[in-house]
Amino acid sequence: QDAHEAIRPSDVLKHPDTLKEYLSRDQLRLYALIWRRFVASQMTPAVFDTTTVDIKAGNLGLRANGSVLKFDGFLAVYDKKDEEKEKEVSVPLLKKGQKLLLDKVLPAQQHFTEPSPRYTEASLVKKLEENGIGRPSTYAPTINTIQERGYVEKEDKKFLPTELGCLVVQMLSEYFTDIIDVEFSANMEKSLDDIAEGEADKTKVLDKFYKPFAQTLAVAEEKIGTVEIPPEVSDVQCEKCGRMMVIKHGRFGDFLACPGFPECRNAKPILKKIGVKCPLCGAEAVERKSKRGRKFFGCEKYPECEFVTWDKPTDKKCEKCSGVLVEHQEKNGKIVLQCVNESCVNGKKKRVIKKRK
């Protein structure tokens, strides 16, 4: 029943390298991930040599820290070994009271506090795990729900809160302080585990939660009422009735709509220009989104002009066929210039221009 939270290979001797001819690429990568994680969980911890040196320089106190991997342990099969090696910083062996010579003095630099980075799917799951919220089987549905309900939008693999999401959090934090709390979810998970193991009575657990929740819900429904997000007025004029169009939020993203609805039903997508001309007609190339939310690029005059590509077009031309060069992202994160014409030799022969972090 609980195997979805403990997926493991049926035979640990079936190394991923021995199954290449039997599995597809995606199947092999998934199996290799499961095999490495399971084997790593049975191995001893890695060992690091950590050194801390305190240095006295007049009235100042300086400290240097170093860490070097001495024994791989589970990192021998885990997929983070290279990351740990990159973090290694060695500190020379020093004796107490040893005098040190000054090598150089670095001028003082001003550092500003930077905000925490936006959550990605991986960092959000990690945060849920750290706080004991949900289970592995609920992480994917949770991420899908916050996107489908329009609470967040994904941009460059990062979640950005929407106006609706901020409003919902504000209202829930005001009226449901007991529930909008990290410890609530963790404690509820523990209570459900106790029920499953026969150590708690489900009726008492539900009764303890539901009675105060029902009272809070009744108060919130009375005070909140119906809340509408005021539309944002754009600088685009409706060509049918002359009103200034407003930005609406739909299931496929934001779009422009006439505020005169239902008298005027004019609506059109919001076009984000990328500073490149369409190679077919010379109009502006724009960024669009498919019905599934995937980003693609096309001409602003679509459907009159049918230029479209998944990869971002550039203003550079192919030296072989004079076709448009697009930025194509490979699986390792590298961005390469590639001719949009598949029949062109530069459609396969790629040149690296940068790598996304």
Side-chain angles (χ1 to χ4, degrees):
Q1 181 180 354
D2 296 326
H4 64 285
E5 295 186 5
I7 300 175
R8 52 198 178 273
S10 59
D11 184 355
V12 74
L13 298 179
K14 292 181 179 178
H15 193 277
D17 290 344
T18 65
L19 302 177
K20 290 182 179 180
E21 58 182 303
Y22 305 107
L23 302 177
S24 67
R25 177 179 172 277
D26 289 341
Q27 290 172 340
L28 181 62
R29 293 177 67 187
L30 177 59
Y31 177 75
L33 174 66
I34 296 170
W35 188 90
R36 286 196 304 268
R37 294 297 174 95
F38 172 73
V39 173
S41 71
Q42 307 302 306
M43 298 174 68
T44 55
V47 178
F48 293 85
D49 253 356
T50 303
T51 305
T52 301
V53 180
D54 290 317
I55 305 168
K56 186 178 180 181
N59 296 326
L60 300 177
L62 307 176
R63 173 168 290 180
N65 295 304
S67 179
V68 177
L69 180 65
K70 303 299 291 185
F71 175 68
D72 292 344
F74 73 93
L75 290 176
V77 297
Y78 205 60
D79 52 5
K80 290 188 177 180
K81 182 178 178 181
D82 293 336
E83 294 180 19
E84 296 296 337
K85 281 191 174 290
E86 289 179 1
K87 296 178 183 177
E88 290 186 359
V89 177
S90 60
V91 174
L93 186 61
L94 303 173
K95 295 180 180 180
K96 184 176 180 180
Q98 179 180 345
K99 291 185 177 181
L100 305 178
L101 297 177
L102 177 64
D103 180 32
K104 60 181 176 180
V105 177
L106 299 177
Q109 295 180 349
Q110 186 175 8
H111 296 277
F112 295 95
T113 302
E114 296 183 356
S116 301
R118 298 287 188 185
Y119 282 112
T120 62
E121 287 193 14
S123 61
L124 181 56
V125 168
K126 183 179 180 181
K127 194 67 174 180
L128 293 174
E129 288 178 337
E130 290 176 353
N131 290 285
I133 300 175
R135 310 261 178 109
S137 59
T138 63
Y139 295 150
T142 299
I143 291 174
N144 289 335
T145 298
I146 61 176
Q147 293 180 85
E148 290 175 355
R149 295 186 180 179
Y151 299 151
V152 297
E153 292 178 345
K154 186 184 289 187
E155 185 174 317
D156 294 331
K157 297 184 179 180
K158 296 178 181 179
F159 291 125
L160 304 180
T162 62
E163 186 177 359
L164 174 61
C166 293
L167 180 61
V168 169
V169 170
Q170 180 183 346
M171 290 192 300
L172 292 177
S173 300
E174 181 178 353
Y175 293 98
F176 298 91
T177 54
D178 294 336
I179 296 177
I180 306 303
D181 180 66
V182 172
E183 295 183 358
F184 170 80
S185 296
N187 293 334
M188 180 59 71
E189 291 286 350
K190 185 179 182 303
S191 298
L192 295 175
D193 287 338
D194 292 341
I195 294 173
E197 295 172 6
E199 297 180 2
D201 181 72
K202 67 175 183 179
T203 304
K204 292 182 179 179
V205 171
L206 293 174
D207 188 63
K208 181 181 178 181
F209 160 74
Y210 185 74
K211 284 186 176 179
F213 172 73
Q215 296 175 358
T216 305
L217 184 62
V219 173
E221 287 181 341
E222 180 180 352
K223 291 186 177 181
I224 294 177
T226 302
V227 179
E228 293 185 4
I229 300 177
E232 180 182 351
V233 181
S234 71
D235 56 356
V236 180
Q237 188 175 22
C238 177
E239 58 269 21
K240 293 186 177 180
C241 67
R243 297 183 177 94
M244 299 305 294
M245 303 189 78
V246 296
I247 299 175
K248 293 282 190 177
H249 308 282
R251 58 180 301 190
F252 302 129
D254 297 345
F255 63 96
L256 292 174
C258 182
F261 183 88
E263 292 82 9
C264 180
R265 296 176 176 268
N266 186 24
K268 52 187 176 182
I270 297 177
L271 303 179
K272 181 180 178 181
K273 297 181 180 180
I274 61 174
V276 178
K277 299 295 183 181
C278 172
L280 298 184
C281 68
E284 291 288 338
V286 296
E287 178 185 309
R288 299 177 182 271
K289 282 188 177 180
S290 67
K291 291 183 178 180
R292 294 187 177 182
R294 185 179 175 186
K295 186 190 302 183
F296 71 98
F297 304 89
C299 181
E300 66 175 345
K301 292 186 176 180
Y302 178 85
E304 289 81 7
C305 179
E306 297 183 350
F307 171 73
V308 64
T309 174
W310 289 115
D311 301 317
K312 185 178 180 179
T314 68
D315 55 0
K316 298 180 178 64
K317 297 291 184 180
C318 174
E319 62 270 19
K320 298 293 183 180
C321 68
S322 299
V324 178
L325 292 179
V326 296
E327 294 183 2
H328 177 75
Q329 183 177 6
E330 295 187 322
K331 293 173 182 177
N332 57 6
K334 290 182 179 179
I335 305 295
V336 300
L337 283 178
Q338 177 176 305
C339 183
V340 73
N341 298 322
E342 296 181 358
S343 58
C344 177
V345 66
N346 284 341
K348 295 181 180 179
K349 185 179 180 181
K350 304 166 185 177
R351 179 160 54 90
V352 178
I353 56 174
K354 59 183 176 179
K355 184 173 182 179
R356 286 183 183 161
K357 295 182 179 179

